[in-house]
mmCIF file of all heavy atoms in Angstrom:
data_model
loop_
_atom_site.group_PDB
_atom_site.id
_atom_site.type_symbol
_atom_site.label_atom_id
_atom_site.label_comp_id
_atom_site.label_asym_id
_atom_site.label_seq_id
_atom_site.Cartn_x
_atom_site.Cartn_y
_atom_site.Cartn_z
ATOM 1 N N MET A 26 13.167 -46.582 282.818
ATOM 2 C CA MET A 26 12.850 -45.190 282.369
ATOM 3 C C MET A 26 13.568 -44.210 283.271
ATOM 4 O O MET A 26 13.498 -44.291 284.522
ATOM 5 C CB MET A 26 11.282 -45.069 282.496
ATOM 6 C CG MET A 26 10.898 -43.610 282.222
ATOM 7 S SD MET A 26 9.184 -43.307 282.559
ATOM 8 C CE MET A 26 8.370 -44.319 281.373
ATOM 9 N N LEU A 27 14.310 -43.272 282.606
ATOM 10 C CA LEU A 27 14.988 -42.261 283.353
ATOM 11 C C LEU A 27 14.201 -41.035 283.443
ATOM 12 O O LEU A 27 13.661 -40.628 282.362
ATOM 13 C CB LEU A 27 16.351 -41.984 282.714
ATOM 14 C CG LEU A 27 17.406 -43.112 282.818
ATOM 15 C CD1 LEU A 27 18.653 -42.711 282.086
ATOM 16 C CD2 LEU A 27 17.736 -43.568 284.193
ATOM 17 N N LEU A 28 14.100 -40.484 284.591
ATOM 18 C CA LEU A 28 13.331 -39.202 284.820
ATOM 19 C C LEU A 28 14.303 -38.154 285.210
ATOM 20 O O LEU A 28 15.170 -38.349 286.039
ATOM 21 C CB LEU A 28 12.276 -39.369 285.887
ATOM 22 C CG LEU A 28 11.227 -40.409 285.674
ATOM 23 C CD1 LEU A 28 10.325 -40.410 286.829
ATOM 24 C CD2 LEU A 28 10.424 -40.054 284.438
ATOM 25 N N ARG A 29 14.230 -37.087 284.515
ATOM 26 C CA ARG A 29 15.223 -35.873 284.828
ATOM 27 C C ARG A 29 14.398 -34.694 285.285
ATOM 28 O O ARG A 29 13.373 -34.391 284.684
ATOM 29 C CB ARG A 29 16.030 -35.435 283.608
ATOM 30 C CG ARG A 29 17.038 -36.512 283.200
ATOM 31 C CD ARG A 29 17.945 -36.092 282.066
ATOM 32 N NE ARG A 29 19.032 -36.917 281.729
ATOM 33 C CZ ARG A 29 18.925 -38.074 281.150
ATOM 34 N NH1 ARG A 29 17.763 -38.372 280.529
ATOM 35 N NH2 ARG A 29 19.970 -38.805 280.876
ATOM 36 N N GLY A 30 14.839 -34.098 286.318
ATOM 37 C CA GLY A 30 14.156 -32.865 286.767
ATOM 38 C C GLY A 30 12.884 -32.863 287.380
ATOM 39 O O GLY A 30 12.124 -31.879 287.322
ATOM 40 N N VAL A 31 12.550 -34.014 287.980
ATOM 41 C CA VAL A 31 11.209 -34.143 288.609
ATOM 42 C C VAL A 31 11.392 -34.010 290.132
ATOM 43 O O VAL A 31 12.408 -34.260 290.615
ATOM 44 C CB VAL A 31 10.579 -35.480 288.325
ATOM 45 C CG1 VAL A 31 10.221 -35.552 286.735
ATOM 46 C CG2 VAL A 31 11.283 -36.665 288.761
ATOM 47 N N GLU A 32 10.302 -33.470 290.774
ATOM 48 C CA GLU A 32 10.376 -33.270 292.161
ATOM 49 C C GLU A 32 9.775 -34.458 292.968
ATOM 50 O O GLU A 32 10.060 -34.615 294.142
ATOM 51 C CB GLU A 32 9.691 -32.027 292.580
ATOM 52 C CG GLU A 32 10.446 -30.766 292.022
ATOM 53 C CD GLU A 32 9.705 -29.458 292.419
ATOM 54 O OE1 GLU A 32 8.689 -29.584 293.188
ATOM 55 O OE2 GLU A 32 10.193 -28.418 292.061
ATOM 56 N N SER A 33 8.823 -35.208 292.348
ATOM 57 C CA SER A 33 8.271 -36.324 292.944
ATOM 58 C C SER A 33 7.662 -37.210 291.869
ATOM 59 O O SER A 33 7.422 -36.917 290.732
ATOM 60 C CB SER A 33 7.230 -35.913 293.920
ATOM 61 O OG SER A 33 6.185 -35.265 293.273
ATOM 62 N N VAL A 34 7.351 -38.504 292.368
ATOM 63 C CA VAL A 34 6.720 -39.524 291.462
ATOM 64 C C VAL A 34 5.538 -40.001 292.353
ATOM 65 O O VAL A 34 5.649 -40.305 293.442
ATOM 66 C CB VAL A 34 7.598 -40.602 291.132
ATOM 67 C CG1 VAL A 34 6.879 -41.759 290.523
ATOM 68 C CG2 VAL A 34 8.737 -40.112 290.169
ATOM 69 N N GLN A 35 4.332 -40.035 291.689
ATOM 70 C CA GLN A 35 3.124 -40.620 292.304
ATOM 71 C C GLN A 35 2.818 -41.948 291.793
ATOM 72 O O GLN A 35 2.709 -42.154 290.588
ATOM 73 C CB GLN A 35 1.936 -39.709 292.159
ATOM 74 C CG GLN A 35 0.690 -40.241 292.890
ATOM 75 C CD GLN A 35 -0.401 -39.135 292.933
ATOM 76 O OE1 GLN A 35 -0.363 -38.205 292.145
ATOM 77 N NE2 GLN A 35 -1.479 -39.405 293.586
ATOM 78 N N ASP A 36 2.754 -42.954 292.650
ATOM 79 C CA ASP A 36 2.609 -44.310 292.190
ATOM 80 C C ASP A 36 1.036 -44.610 291.973
ATOM 81 O O ASP A 36 0.147 -43.705 292.288
ATOM 82 C CB ASP A 36 3.257 -45.359 293.084
ATOM 83 C CG ASP A 36 2.569 -45.460 294.478
ATOM 84 O OD1 ASP A 36 1.493 -45.052 294.733
ATOM 85 O OD2 ASP A 36 3.385 -45.908 295.313
ATOM 86 N N ALA A 37 0.690 -45.807 291.512
ATOM 87 C CA ALA A 37 -0.712 -46.180 291.263
ATOM 88 C C ALA A 37 -1.637 -46.096 292.401
ATOM 89 O O ALA A 37 -2.832 -45.919 292.396
ATOM 90 C CB ALA A 37 -0.806 -47.524 290.527
ATOM 91 N N ASP A 38 -0.940 -46.303 293.628
ATOM 92 C CA ASP A 38 -1.734 -46.318 294.883
ATOM 93 C C ASP A 38 -1.961 -44.808 295.352
ATOM 94 O O ASP A 38 -2.625 -44.647 296.356
ATOM 95 C CB ASP A 38 -1.132 -47.045 295.998
ATOM 96 C CG ASP A 38 -1.015 -48.491 295.585
ATOM 97 O OD1 ASP A 38 -1.855 -49.039 294.898
ATOM 98 O OD2 ASP A 38 -0.047 -49.162 296.063
ATOM 99 N N GLY A 39 -1.357 -43.878 294.675
ATOM 100 C CA GLY A 39 -1.446 -42.478 295.135
ATOM 101 C C GLY A 39 -0.371 -41.954 296.082
ATOM 102 O O GLY A 39 -0.392 -40.928 296.440
ATOM 103 N N THR A 40 0.500 -42.909 296.387
ATOM 104 C CA THR A 40 1.713 -42.587 297.282
ATOM 105 C C THR A 40 2.631 -41.676 296.457
ATOM 106 O O THR A 40 3.048 -41.930 295.368
ATOM 107 C CB THR A 40 2.446 -43.778 297.788
ATOM 108 O OG1 THR A 40 1.476 -44.632 298.447
ATOM 109 C CG2 THR A 40 3.515 -43.403 298.645
ATOM 110 N N VAL A 41 2.991 -40.558 297.091
ATOM 111 C CA VAL A 41 4.011 -39.605 296.446
ATOM 112 C C VAL A 41 5.389 -39.978 296.961
ATOM 113 O O VAL A 41 5.562 -40.007 298.174
ATOM 114 C CB VAL A 41 3.660 -38.182 296.698
ATOM 115 C CG1 VAL A 41 4.609 -37.254 296.222
ATOM 116 C CG2 VAL A 41 2.201 -37.863 296.104
ATOM 117 N N HIS A 42 6.320 -40.163 296.083
ATOM 118 C CA HIS A 42 7.691 -40.451 296.442
ATOM 119 C C HIS A 42 8.538 -39.209 296.028
ATOM 120 O O HIS A 42 8.733 -38.928 294.866
ATOM 121 C CB HIS A 42 8.205 -41.697 295.648
ATOM 122 C CG HIS A 42 7.353 -42.916 295.962
ATOM 123 N ND1 HIS A 42 7.634 -43.799 296.921
ATOM 124 C CD2 HIS A 42 6.191 -43.381 295.327
ATOM 125 C CE1 HIS A 42 6.673 -44.807 296.908
ATOM 126 N NE2 HIS A 42 5.780 -44.486 295.944
ATOM 127 N N PRO A 43 9.166 -38.600 296.958
ATOM 128 C CA PRO A 43 9.994 -37.353 296.726
ATOM 129 C C PRO A 43 11.199 -37.833 295.970
ATOM 130 O O PRO A 43 11.761 -38.953 296.246
ATOM 131 C CB PRO A 43 10.374 -36.833 298.143
ATOM 132 C CG PRO A 43 9.461 -37.508 299.127
ATOM 133 C CD PRO A 43 9.000 -38.797 298.453
ATOM 134 N N VAL A 44 11.700 -36.986 295.100
ATOM 135 C CA VAL A 44 12.942 -37.154 294.215
ATOM 136 C C VAL A 44 13.896 -36.124 294.706
ATOM 137 O O VAL A 44 13.588 -34.928 294.582
ATOM 138 C CB VAL A 44 12.546 -37.071 292.777
ATOM 139 C CG1 VAL A 44 13.922 -37.136 291.934
ATOM 140 C CG2 VAL A 44 11.637 -38.252 292.365
ATOM 141 N N GLU A 45 15.029 -36.662 295.084
ATOM 142 C CA GLU A 45 16.049 -35.654 295.576
ATOM 143 C C GLU A 45 17.364 -35.711 294.757
ATOM 144 O O GLU A 45 18.352 -35.116 295.103
ATOM 145 C CB GLU A 45 16.421 -35.939 297.045
ATOM 146 C CG GLU A 45 15.190 -35.754 297.943
ATOM 147 C CD GLU A 45 15.443 -36.138 299.352
ATOM 148 O OE1 GLU A 45 16.574 -36.613 299.689
ATOM 149 O OE2 GLU A 45 14.506 -35.912 300.232
ATOM 150 N N ARG A 46 17.265 -36.360 293.581
ATOM 151 C CA ARG A 46 18.439 -36.503 292.680
ATOM 152 C C ARG A 46 18.049 -35.898 291.276
ATOM 153 O O ARG A 46 16.903 -35.959 290.971
ATOM 154 C CB ARG A 46 18.912 -37.889 292.601
ATOM 155 C CG ARG A 46 19.347 -38.442 293.898
ATOM 156 C CD ARG A 46 19.905 -39.887 293.831
ATOM 157 N NE ARG A 46 19.494 -40.740 292.671
ATOM 158 C CZ ARG A 46 19.542 -41.992 292.682
ATOM 159 N NH1 ARG A 46 20.072 -42.621 293.583
ATOM 160 N NH2 ARG A 46 19.197 -42.624 291.534
ATOM 161 N N PRO A 47 19.040 -35.443 290.586
ATOM 162 C CA PRO A 47 18.690 -34.826 289.232
ATOM 163 C C PRO A 47 18.133 -35.898 288.260
ATOM 164 O O PRO A 47 17.318 -35.532 287.399
ATOM 165 C CB PRO A 47 20.035 -34.278 288.740
ATOM 166 C CG PRO A 47 21.020 -34.642 289.682
ATOM 167 C CD PRO A 47 20.434 -35.268 290.924
ATOM 168 N N VAL A 48 18.515 -37.159 288.399
ATOM 169 C CA VAL A 48 18.073 -38.199 287.473
ATOM 170 C C VAL A 48 17.807 -39.376 288.351
ATOM 171 O O VAL A 48 18.520 -39.841 289.219
ATOM 172 C CB VAL A 48 19.154 -38.582 286.406
ATOM 173 C CG1 VAL A 48 18.672 -39.684 285.562
ATOM 174 C CG2 VAL A 48 19.612 -37.417 285.625
ATOM 175 N N VAL A 49 16.652 -40.050 288.095
ATOM 176 C CA VAL A 49 16.198 -41.249 288.820
ATOM 177 C C VAL A 49 15.703 -42.235 287.833
ATOM 178 O O VAL A 49 15.188 -41.884 286.755
ATOM 179 C CB VAL A 49 15.108 -41.030 289.883
ATOM 180 C CG1 VAL A 49 15.731 -40.281 291.040
ATOM 181 C CG2 VAL A 49 13.914 -40.332 289.357
ATOM 182 N N ALA A 50 15.852 -43.599 288.138
ATOM 183 C CA ALA A 50 15.379 -44.690 287.235
ATOM 184 C C ALA A 50 14.005 -45.219 287.781
ATOM 185 O O ALA A 50 14.032 -45.644 288.870
ATOM 186 C CB ALA A 50 16.419 -45.668 287.100
ATOM 187 N N LEU A 51 13.041 -45.109 286.985
ATOM 188 C CA LEU A 51 11.681 -45.588 287.353
ATOM 189 C C LEU A 51 11.599 -47.041 286.897
ATOM 190 O O LEU A 51 11.960 -47.331 285.739
ATOM 191 C CB LEU A 51 10.666 -44.734 286.713
ATOM 192 C CG LEU A 51 9.197 -44.873 287.294
ATOM 193 C CD1 LEU A 51 9.151 -44.404 288.698
ATOM 194 C CD2 LEU A 51 8.315 -43.982 286.372
ATOM 195 N N CYS A 52 11.120 -47.912 287.724
ATOM 196 C CA CYS A 52 10.917 -49.382 287.319
ATOM 197 C C CYS A 52 9.694 -49.480 286.385
ATOM 198 O O CYS A 52 8.640 -48.950 286.702
ATOM 199 C CB CYS A 52 10.782 -50.219 288.574
ATOM 200 S SG CYS A 52 10.371 -51.983 288.184
ATOM 201 N N ARG A 53 9.978 -50.129 285.336
ATOM 202 C CA ARG A 53 8.883 -50.443 284.286
ATOM 203 C C ARG A 53 8.479 -51.891 284.236
ATOM 204 O O ARG A 53 7.560 -52.323 283.624
ATOM 205 C CB ARG A 53 9.275 -49.919 282.962
ATOM 206 C CG ARG A 53 9.520 -48.387 282.993
ATOM 207 C CD ARG A 53 8.220 -47.571 283.142
ATOM 208 N NE ARG A 53 7.406 -47.709 282.095
ATOM 209 C CZ ARG A 53 6.030 -47.542 282.055
ATOM 210 N NH1 ARG A 53 5.466 -47.161 283.189
ATOM 211 N NH2 ARG A 53 5.389 -47.629 280.977
ATOM 212 N N CYS A 54 9.269 -52.755 284.964
ATOM 213 C CA CYS A 54 9.018 -54.237 284.896
ATOM 214 C C CYS A 54 8.134 -54.637 286.024
ATOM 215 O O CYS A 54 7.647 -55.767 286.106
ATOM 216 C CB CYS A 54 10.319 -54.984 284.868
ATOM 217 S SG CYS A 54 11.204 -55.051 286.418
ATOM 218 N N ASP A 55 8.027 -53.782 287.062
ATOM 219 C CA ASP A 55 7.287 -54.006 288.309
ATOM 220 C C ASP A 55 7.830 -55.200 289.162
ATOM 221 O O ASP A 55 7.118 -55.755 289.896
ATOM 222 C CB ASP A 55 5.821 -54.402 287.886
ATOM 223 C CG ASP A 55 4.862 -54.030 289.101
ATOM 224 O OD1 ASP A 55 5.044 -53.075 289.845
ATOM 225 O OD2 ASP A 55 3.858 -54.850 289.249
ATOM 226 N N LYS A 56 9.090 -55.528 289.006
ATOM 227 C CA LYS A 56 9.708 -56.629 289.707
ATOM 228 C C LYS A 56 10.823 -55.996 290.749
ATOM 229 O O LYS A 56 11.376 -56.850 291.508
ATOM 230 C CB LYS A 56 10.402 -57.568 288.774
ATOM 231 C CG LYS A 56 9.569 -58.182 287.868
ATOM 232 C CD LYS A 56 8.449 -59.081 288.581
ATOM 233 C CE LYS A 56 7.553 -59.809 287.545
ATOM 234 N NZ LYS A 56 6.353 -60.338 288.084
ATOM 235 N N SER A 57 11.033 -54.719 290.814
ATOM 236 C CA SER A 57 11.972 -54.173 291.694
ATOM 237 C C SER A 57 11.596 -54.332 293.122
ATOM 238 O O SER A 57 10.400 -54.370 293.481
ATOM 239 C CB SER A 57 12.162 -52.704 291.427
ATOM 240 O OG SER A 57 12.944 -52.189 292.319
ATOM 241 N N SER A 58 12.655 -54.611 294.010
ATOM 242 C CA SER A 58 12.359 -54.643 295.437
ATOM 243 C C SER A 58 12.187 -53.243 296.072
ATOM 244 O O SER A 58 11.940 -53.277 297.228
ATOM 245 C CB SER A 58 13.463 -55.490 296.076
ATOM 246 O OG SER A 58 14.729 -54.828 295.910
ATOM 247 N N ARG A 59 12.475 -52.342 295.255
ATOM 248 C CA ARG A 59 12.362 -50.983 295.797
ATOM 249 C C ARG A 59 11.504 -50.099 294.901
ATOM 250 O O ARG A 59 11.870 -48.978 294.632
ATOM 251 C CB ARG A 59 13.724 -50.336 296.174
ATOM 252 C CG ARG A 59 14.803 -50.505 295.125
ATOM 253 C CD ARG A 59 16.127 -50.112 295.539
ATOM 254 N NE ARG A 59 16.181 -48.707 295.843
ATOM 255 C CZ ARG A 59 16.534 -47.731 294.955
ATOM 256 N NH1 ARG A 59 16.764 -47.929 293.734
ATOM 257 N NH2 ARG A 59 16.545 -46.428 295.381
ATOM 258 N N LEU A 60 10.273 -50.543 294.582
ATOM 259 C CA LEU A 60 9.470 -49.742 293.751
ATOM 260 C C LEU A 60 9.146 -48.371 294.341
ATOM 261 O O LEU A 60 9.016 -48.397 295.653
ATOM 262 C CB LEU A 60 8.144 -50.594 293.553
ATOM 263 C CG LEU A 60 8.238 -51.817 292.682
ATOM 264 C CD1 LEU A 60 7.066 -52.628 292.792
ATOM 265 C CD2 LEU A 60 8.564 -51.425 291.254
ATOM 266 N N PRO A 61 8.923 -47.322 293.621
ATOM 267 C CA PRO A 61 8.878 -47.347 292.191
ATOM 268 C C PRO A 61 10.221 -47.263 291.427
ATOM 269 O O PRO A 61 10.240 -47.081 290.234
ATOM 270 C CB PRO A 61 7.996 -46.051 291.924
ATOM 271 C CG PRO A 61 8.483 -45.131 292.988
ATOM 272 C CD PRO A 61 8.659 -46.008 294.290
ATOM 273 N N TRP A 62 11.245 -47.434 292.205
ATOM 274 C CA TRP A 62 12.598 -47.200 291.582
ATOM 275 C C TRP A 62 13.198 -48.506 291.088
ATOM 276 O O TRP A 62 13.018 -49.546 291.603
ATOM 277 C CB TRP A 62 13.628 -46.629 292.603
ATOM 278 C CG TRP A 62 12.967 -45.537 293.429
ATOM 279 C CD1 TRP A 62 12.886 -45.521 294.791
ATOM 280 C CD2 TRP A 62 12.414 -44.368 292.943
ATOM 281 N NE1 TRP A 62 12.202 -44.255 295.180
ATOM 282 C CE2 TRP A 62 11.974 -43.602 294.116
ATOM 283 C CE3 TRP A 62 12.242 -43.724 291.741
ATOM 284 C CZ2 TRP A 62 11.325 -42.362 293.953
ATOM 285 C CZ3 TRP A 62 11.678 -42.568 291.593
ATOM 286 C CH2 TRP A 62 11.177 -41.828 292.627
ATOM 287 N N CYS A 63 13.909 -48.391 289.937
ATOM 288 C CA CYS A 63 14.502 -49.536 289.370
ATOM 289 C C CYS A 63 15.705 -50.001 290.265
ATOM 290 O O CYS A 63 16.542 -49.159 290.677
ATOM 291 C CB CYS A 63 15.032 -49.203 287.901
ATOM 292 S SG CYS A 63 16.087 -50.356 287.174
ATOM 293 N N ASP A 64 15.835 -51.277 290.522
ATOM 294 C CA ASP A 64 17.051 -51.794 291.232
ATOM 295 C C ASP A 64 17.821 -52.695 290.449
ATOM 296 O O ASP A 64 18.780 -53.367 290.936
ATOM 297 C CB ASP A 64 16.521 -52.459 292.535
ATOM 298 C CG ASP A 64 15.763 -53.818 292.328
ATOM 299 O OD1 ASP A 64 15.589 -54.051 291.160
ATOM 300 O OD2 ASP A 64 15.502 -54.480 293.311
ATOM 301 N N GLY A 65 17.590 -52.768 289.063
ATOM 302 C CA GLY A 65 18.371 -53.596 288.214
ATOM 303 C C GLY A 65 17.854 -55.019 288.054
ATOM 304 O O GLY A 65 18.348 -55.799 287.334
ATOM 305 N N THR A 66 16.778 -55.383 288.728
ATOM 306 C CA THR A 66 16.094 -56.693 288.668
ATOM 307 C C THR A 66 15.744 -57.058 287.242
ATOM 308 O O THR A 66 15.872 -58.200 286.840
ATOM 309 C CB THR A 66 14.981 -56.896 289.579
ATOM 310 O OG1 THR A 66 15.379 -56.617 290.923
ATOM 311 C CG2 THR A 66 14.298 -58.201 289.460
ATOM 312 N N HIS A 67 15.321 -56.118 286.408
ATOM 313 C CA HIS A 67 14.950 -56.354 285.090
ATOM 314 C C HIS A 67 16.007 -57.057 284.286
ATOM 315 O O HIS A 67 15.757 -57.745 283.210
ATOM 316 C CB HIS A 67 14.488 -55.038 284.303
ATOM 317 C CG HIS A 67 15.684 -54.062 284.242
ATOM 318 N ND1 HIS A 67 16.005 -53.108 285.167
ATOM 319 C CD2 HIS A 67 16.570 -53.988 283.181
ATOM 320 C CE1 HIS A 67 16.998 -52.392 284.675
ATOM 321 N NE2 HIS A 67 17.417 -52.952 283.554
ATOM 322 N N LYS A 68 17.202 -56.848 284.636
ATOM 323 C CA LYS A 68 18.341 -57.515 283.909
ATOM 324 C C LYS A 68 18.432 -58.961 284.060
ATOM 325 O O LYS A 68 18.954 -59.664 283.137
ATOM 326 C CB LYS A 68 19.705 -56.891 284.339
ATOM 327 C CG LYS A 68 19.830 -55.375 284.161
ATOM 328 C CD LYS A 68 21.104 -54.951 284.643
ATOM 329 C CE LYS A 68 21.243 -53.462 284.508
ATOM 330 N NZ LYS A 68 22.413 -52.928 285.289
ATOM 331 N N VAL A 69 17.766 -59.575 285.085
ATOM 332 C CA VAL A 69 17.778 -61.036 285.322
ATOM 333 C C VAL A 69 16.555 -61.705 285.033
ATOM 334 O O VAL A 69 16.398 -62.866 285.208
ATOM 335 C CB VAL A 69 18.283 -61.345 286.634
ATOM 336 C CG1 VAL A 69 19.763 -60.864 286.805
ATOM 337 C CG2 VAL A 69 17.392 -60.747 287.749
ATOM 338 N N ILE A 70 15.489 -60.944 284.555
ATOM 339 C CA ILE A 70 14.228 -61.519 284.230
ATOM 340 C C ILE A 70 14.221 -62.211 282.842
ATOM 341 O O ILE A 70 14.603 -61.549 281.941
ATOM 342 C CB ILE A 70 13.112 -60.428 284.292
ATOM 343 C CG1 ILE A 70 12.974 -59.935 285.733
ATOM 344 C CG2 ILE A 70 11.708 -61.035 283.869
ATOM 345 C CD1 ILE A 70 11.975 -58.731 285.763
ATOM 346 N N PRO A 71 13.909 -63.482 282.791
ATOM 347 C CA PRO A 71 13.839 -64.133 281.491
ATOM 348 C C PRO A 71 12.847 -63.450 280.519
ATOM 349 O O PRO A 71 11.772 -63.046 280.951
ATOM 350 C CB PRO A 71 13.408 -65.555 281.684
ATOM 351 C CG PRO A 71 13.619 -65.756 283.166
ATOM 352 C CD PRO A 71 13.533 -64.381 283.810
ATOM 353 N N ARG A 72 13.149 -63.364 279.228
ATOM 354 C CA ARG A 72 12.263 -62.844 278.244
ATOM 355 C C ARG A 72 11.218 -63.857 277.686
ATOM 356 O O ARG A 72 11.566 -64.873 277.597
ATOM 357 C CB ARG A 72 13.108 -62.089 277.138
ATOM 358 C CG ARG A 72 13.818 -60.967 277.502
ATOM 359 C CD ARG A 72 14.548 -60.316 276.381
ATOM 360 N NE ARG A 72 15.407 -59.237 276.888
ATOM 361 C CZ ARG A 72 15.806 -58.305 276.175
ATOM 362 N NH1 ARG A 72 15.452 -58.266 274.879
ATOM 363 N NH2 ARG A 72 16.512 -57.292 276.600
HETATM 364 S S1 FES B 128 12.854 -51.825 285.284
HETATM 365 FE FE1 FES B 128 12.183 -52.992 286.986
HETATM 366 S S2 FES B 128 13.941 -53.421 288.027
HETATM 367 FE FE2 FES B 128 14.584 -52.142 286.429
#
């Protein structure tokens, strides 16, 4: 999921992650090693 123009993202634990780029990719598969951000791991997960 790409987010544009946001200043921060709050995860399920309530932690606020500042956003300093115009577009960021949010992980939706929950397998990223750098949650809440997508690191491309979803591409190698079997369906
Ligand atoms: S959506 Fe989870 S690693 Fe990309």
Side-chain angles (χ1 to χ4, degrees):
M26 173 189 296
L27 295 179
L28 301 177
R29 290 182 171 84
V31 299
E32 295 181 1
S33 64
V34 170
Q35 184 173 7
D36 65 23
D38 296 331
T40 303
V41 176
H42 303 268
V44 174
E45 299 177 354
R46 300 186 332 199
V48 180
V49 290
L51 194 66
C52 177
R53 299 294 290 157
C54 73
D55 205 34
K56 302 296 184 192
S57 173
S58 63
R59 44 187 300 268
L60 290 169
W62 315 122
C63 170
D64 68 355
T66 299
H67 65 269
K68 297 176 185 175
V69 296
I70 297 173
R72 293 183 184 202

